[in-house]
Amino acid sequence: MNLTEDRLARIALTWLTEPGTWTVHRMVDRVGPVVTLAALLDGGAPSDALRRAVAARLNAGDPRAVAAEAVERADRLGARLVTPHDAEWPGKVAHLRQLSLDGADRKVDRDTAPPLCLWVRGSWPLAEVLDRSVAVVGARAATGYGLHVATELGYGLGERGWTVVSGGAFGIDAAAHRGALTAGAVTVAVLACGVDRPYPVGNTALFDRIAETGLLVSEWIPGSEPFRPRFLIRNRVIAAATRGSVLVEASARSGATQTMRRALAIKRPAMVVPGPVTSAMSVGAHELLREYPDARLVTGLAHVLEEVGRIGTDLAPPARGPVRPTDHLDDDATMVLEALPRRGVTGLDSIAARAGVAVRTALRKLALLEQLGLVVHRDGGYALTPQRQPPAPTT
Amino acid sequence: MNLTEDRLARIALTWLTEPGTWTVHRMVDRVGPVVTLAALLDGGAPSDALRRAVAARLNAGDPRAVAAEAVERADRLGARLVTPHDAEWPGKVAHLRQLSLDGADRKVDRDTAPPLCLWVRGSWPLAEVLDRSVAVVGARAATGYGLHVATELGYGLGERGWTVVSGGAFGIDAAAHRGALTAGAVTVAVLACGVDRPYPVGNTALFDRIAETGLLVSEWIPGSEPFRPRFLIRNRVIAAATRGSVLVEASARSGATQTMRRALAIKRPAMVVPGPVTSAMSVGAHELLREYPDARLVTGLAHVLEEVGRIGTDLAPPARGPVRPTDHLDDDATMVLEALPRRGVTGLDSIAARAGVAVRTALRKLALLEQLGLVVHRDGGYALTPQRQPPAPTT
């Protein structure tokens, strides 16, 4: 096998047909990219639809020439091509093989094959960076709440040595990337266009920082435009290249919820941050939690680490409120404490009767309450310590 | 069986031992309340702890006299006693029989027997009012968000003819009751003290309105004080008397989460409203959703009705965003639309090549896009309709 030919053929194939196309991927699996490319160029696509699509794209140029030009363009930019033959290829994306959704009615939902190759801008080895990585995705039109949560998550993950992967979009994506950058961590933006012209242009400064300290990654050749369906095609890579995905905010129609469905389909942790039910930007998050029993509600870094961390090392402690002196009282002690009137001294028998406990139980519990400083013994009876009125009843 | 004796014995038993005590309930099941009372008064309680508790309470009065006085006091107040022999007894509470939690380490968690009798203030028949009822419970120190959601839920349920049941506490409870009252609906406050002195006093005006148009209910005799453990003992009745329970806000240590665990234990719908993960008042809600797979995330009335409503009549539609003209385009049409530059006229072949679809597919899709008013055909090519620039790509 000529590796240079193999690489050029992979590039040509991703240009000739959109990435993820199962028909193409199956041919590559069987006969390799060089033979697949030759077959497609000869009009030998196994389906009419693919044959016609190839024919149409050929009007725009010669795939081999396009591929060669893409390599030159990438060289000038300092970007590189990574294929399954390279040491830095992220093996996890092969799990997309499980994701053949024949029943799906849209091409982007159906054509979910693993990528044939990835363009990478940045100096870290791709596989190493993605080994301990978490995707943080969500709405572009995020709220202050979502931006806050995404930034905190990105920062927290980064601080713990995790790579934060997202899509480089406005809103949640950018907040997650920025959080990671603030922590001095590596962050990866997986793009739906060429790594030379990351979209959106408004995030250019962010992309420049990511390219310097992290990675920009794309399946599309340099120069490619961010056509709308490409974002959805791209999402499967975000889901498959990471140990798990976190959705921070999503409206009912957000593409970010699709990333989560991809993660669920390949049995990766799919984590969802809830939000106010009054917020349109959490509707998609709540629907995911309702629809998919495997989607996991997370409220912050501890929960995320519990899902993606090595078992037993990153378990989140259950939520606890503040500790009060009355917390560890048993029911008898609580009844005795409550049976004491707010003011005045009460006799032992009367306390026991009000509390409905035996006199000797009352005596023992009163001794305990005295030790805790909640009750004082005086004038032959018992009274509440003035500063320690019992807290109001709990609903 | 002498029904008057039976009623007085039930009253005396709830005073002599806290409601829910399994030992007492099992004796009543076997030999009836009159014989049970006589046995307890003779020192014949089956356990030392119960025998001592009974002996202590006897110092505070004669149970039969207390019971007779309670009936008089209730008569003066216009309250009544309801027992399992009455037509208006809510049969659903018997499901608490399933709730014998022998492993539980606190008395209030362990002693969860059905009530022996209930005091009722208000004119509606208890069983009828509780037939179509939903519990809405939550934190006292609720936030504006929680109060808003609870009020809306109470109103919405009331408007649809459902009874809203809660505990009459500040915060979520009061908001749910008020929402129902605003809808002109029946609402029921299940109290942890006598129906003559509903707690908290700050809700007196609310309790007066509930007593007029709904019901105040309690297991404790008139005059009883709201000792702290009683709120937790009471919670099991809220869970068991309703078709399902909704938790709106709860801190990590809230008693309201215990109501939900009761509902879960007897397999009633346990619905939880999520909130911002930044809010301490939603920590208990999120923990419930994480801990109990059967706890159901709900975001509003439609979801609640779906859980408690008759199957098939109250199904909530899945959340949907606004409809756009491009929503129903297939992937080919979307690619063709995206392939059109923002400005200028482009030829058919070039469009097909950019979109990666067959020329005749492009032609068909362009005709469709023209019909939708998204594209115009002019100067031998195609252009975007000026006012219909394609929407920005979706992440």
Side-chain angles (χ1 to χ4, degrees):
Chain A
M1 181 173 55
N2 181 326
L3 266 184
T4 308
E5 282 296 304
D6 181 286
R7 297 166 80 82
L8 284 175
R10 287 174 185 275
I11 301 167
L13 285 169
T14 48
W15 177 79
L16 203 52
T17 65
E18 285 295 310
T21 306
W22 268 112
T23 319
V24 175
H25 198 268
R26 283 197 203 94
M27 287 177 76
V28 170
D29 257 6
R30 218 168 45 238
V31 297
V34 178
V35 176
T36 301
L37 178 63
L40 292 186
L41 293 180
D42 273 0
S47 79
D48 275 2
L50 185 60
R51 195 156 42 240
R52 282 196 299 265
V54 166
R57 189 62 70 101
L58 287 177
N59 287 330
D62 167 39
R64 292 196 181 92
V66 167
E69 196 199 305
V71 171
E72 268 175 43
R73 196 164 170 166
D75 279 347
R76 282 197 303 272
L77 184 73
R80 64 190 182 276
L81 184 76
V82 178
T83 80
H85 302 296
D86 296 314
E88 64 171 306
W89 180 255
K92 281 199 288 284
V93 296
H95 292 182
L96 286 169
R97 285 170 192 281
Q98 303 163 25
L99 223 166
S100 178
L101 305 167
D102 290 328
D105 56 349
R106 293 190 311 168
K107 211 191 269 181
V108 290
D109 287 333
R110 209 169 50 227
D111 273 336
T112 53
L116 295 174
C117 55
L118 292 165
W119 298 92
V120 179
R121 215 176 122 191
S123 50
W124 294 92
L126 184 59
E128 190 187 313
V129 154
L130 291 176
D131 176 38
R132 271 170 66 91
S133 68
V134 174
V136 179
V137 298
R140 285 170 297 135
T143 69
Y145 164 68
L147 296 173
H148 168 79
V149 172
T151 307
E152 290 281 305
L153 261 183
Y155 182 87
L157 285 165
E159 207 183 29
R160 303 287 190 104
W162 288 81
T163 299
V164 174
V165 177
S166 195
F170 288 132
I172 298 302
D173 288 18
H177 287 306
R178 286 200 180 97
L181 287 169
T182 307
V186 174
T187 187
V188 176
V190 182
L191 305 171
C193 55
V195 292
D196 57 331
R197 42 186 291 180
Y199 175 91
V201 182
N203 278 348
T204 299
L206 174 65
F207 290 126
D208 287 348
R209 286 187 64 196
I210 296 177
E212 271 165 38
T213 64
L215 298 176
L216 298 178
V217 175
S218 176
E219 291 180 83
W220 287 270
I221 62 171
S224 298
E225 288 177 73
F227 291 152
R228 193 134 78 113
R230 290 184 171 162
F231 292 89
L232 297 174
I233 295 172
R234 177 273 320 263
N235 287 347
R236 79 197 196 294
V237 176
I238 293 181
T242 52
R243 289 241 203 129
S245 298
V246 185
L247 178 76
V248 174
E249 276 192 323
S251 62
R253 49 179 307 130
S254 171
T257 62
Q258 190 237 26
T259 307
M260 304 308 286
R261 287 192 295 269
R262 296 276 176 270
L264 285 161
I266 58 173
K267 309 230 180 298
R268 293 283 165 74
M271 297 159 275
V272 180
V273 176
V277 298
T278 45
S279 164
M281 278 302 129
S282 286
V283 169
H286 296 148
E287 279 296 313
L288 270 179
L289 286 168
R290 285 175 52 81
E291 205 173 326
Y292 297 92
D294 289 341
R296 189 89 169 114
L297 185 152
V298 295
T299 69
L301 180 65
H303 290 157
V304 172
L305 291 178
E306 187 179 321
E307 294 296 314
V308 299
R310 286 176 223 292
I311 288 154
T313 60
D314 285 318
L315 280 182
R320 291 263 175 265
V323 176
R324 300 182 191 143
T326 51
D327 276 357
H328 302 293
L329 297 183
D330 63 17
D331 291 323
D332 282 345
T334 307
M335 284 299 273
V336 166
L337 184 63
E338 301 266 333
L340 281 162
R342 306 248 151 194
R343 281 189 192 80
V345 174
T346 313
L348 175 62
D349 284 357
S350 167
I351 293 169
R354 278 171 59 94
V357 301
V359 172
R360 69 178 179 190
T361 304
L363 196 59
R364 217 167 49 236
K365 299 307 176 189
L366 283 164
L368 170 73
L369 295 170
E370 232 185 305
Q371 275 178 23
L372 291 172
L374 296 166
V375 161
V376 287
H377 187 189
R378 62 175 155 87
D379 307 335
Y382 296 85
L384 290 175
T385 309
Q387 295 82 357
R388 289 292 180 89
Q389 300 287 325
T394 312
T395 307
Chain B
M1 179 174 57
N2 181 325
L3 266 183
T4 308
E5 281 296 301
D6 181 286
R7 296 166 80 83
L8 284 175
R10 287 175 185 274
I11 302 169
L13 285 170
T14 48
W15 177 79
L16 202 53
T17 64
E18 285 294 310
T21 306
W22 268 113
T23 319
V24 175
H25 198 269
R26 282 196 203 95
M27 286 177 77
V28 170
D29 256 5
R30 217 167 45 238
V31 297
V34 177
V35 177
T36 301
L37 178 63
L40 292 186
L41 293 180
D42 272 0
S47 79
D48 276 3
L50 185 61
R51 195 157 41 241
R52 283 197 300 267
V54 165
R57 188 62 70 100
L58 286 177
N59 287 331
D62 167 39
R64 292 196 181 93
V66 167
E69 195 198 306
V71 171
E72 268 175 45
R73 195 162 172 169
D75 280 346
R76 283 197 303 273
L77 183 73
R80 64 190 182 276
L81 183 77
V82 178
T83 79
H85 301 296
D86 297 314
E88 63 171 308
W89 180 255
K92 281 202 287 283
V93 298
H95 292 183
L96 287 167
R97 284 170 193 280
Q98 303 163 23
L99 223 166
S100 178
L101 305 166
D102 289 329
D105 55 350
R106 293 189 314 168
K107 212 191 268 181
V108 290
D109 287 333
R110 210 168 49 227
D111 272 336
T112 53
L116 295 174
C117 54
L118 292 165
W119 298 92
V120 179
R121 215 176 123 191
S123 51
W124 294 92
L126 184 59
E128 189 186 314
V129 154
L130 291 175
D131 176 38
R132 271 170 68 90
S133 68
V134 174
V136 178
V137 297
R140 284 170 299 134
T143 70
Y145 163 68
L147 295 175
H148 168 78
V149 173
T151 307
E152 289 282 304
L153 261 183
Y155 183 87
L157 285 165
E159 208 182 28
R160 303 288 192 104
W162 288 80
T163 300
V164 174
V165 177
S166 195
F170 288 133
I172 298 302
D173 287 18
H177 288 306
R178 285 201 181 96
L181 288 170
T182 306
V186 174
T187 187
V188 176
V190 182
L191 305 171
C193 54
V195 291
D196 57 330
R197 44 185 290 180
Y199 176 92
V201 182
N203 278 349
T204 298
L206 174 65
F207 290 126
D208 287 347
R209 286 188 63 197
I210 296 177
E212 270 165 41
T213 64
L215 297 176
L216 298 177
V217 174
S218 176
E219 290 180 83
W220 287 271
I221 62 171
S224 298
E225 288 177 72
F227 290 154
R228 192 133 80 111
R230 290 183 171 163
F231 291 89
L232 297 175
I233 295 171
R234 178 270 322 262
N235 287 347
R236 79 197 196 294
V237 175
I238 293 180
T242 51
R243 288 240 203 132
S245 298
V246 186
L247 179 76
V248 174
E249 277 193 321
S251 63
R253 49 180 305 130
S254 171
T257 63
Q258 189 237 25
T259 307
M260 304 307 286
R261 289 194 294 271
R262 295 277 176 270
L264 285 161
I266 57 173
K267 310 230 181 297
R268 292 281 166 76
M271 298 159 274
V272 180
V273 176
V277 299
T278 46
S279 165
M281 278 302 129
S282 286
V283 169
H286 296 148
E287 280 296 313
L288 269 178
L289 287 168
R290 285 175 52 80
E291 206 173 324
Y292 297 92
D294 289 340
R296 190 88 170 116
L297 185 151
V298 294
T299 69
L301 180 65
H303 291 157
V304 173
L305 291 178
E306 186 178 323
E307 294 295 315
V308 299
R310 287 178 222 292
I311 289 154
T313 59
D314 284 319
L315 280 182
R320 291 263 176 266
V323 176
R324 300 180 191 144
T326 51
D327 276 359
H328 303 293
L329 297 183
D330 63 17
D331 291 324
D332 283 344
T334 308
M335 285 299 274
V336 166
L337 184 64
E338 302 266 333
L340 281 163
R342 305 249 151 194
R343 281 188 193 79
V345 175
T346 314
L348 176 62
D349 284 357
S350 167
I351 293 170
R354 279 171 59 95
V357 301
V359 173
R360 71 177 178 191
T361 304
L363 196 58
R364 215 167 49 236
K365 299 306 176 190
L366 283 164
L368 171 72
L369 295 170
E370 233 185 305
Q371 274 178 23
L372 290 172
L374 296 166
V375 162
V376 287
H377 188 190
R378 62 175 155 88
D379 308 335
Y382 297 84
L384 289 176
T385 309
Q387 296 80 356
R388 290 290 180 90
Q389 300 287 324
T394 311
T395 309

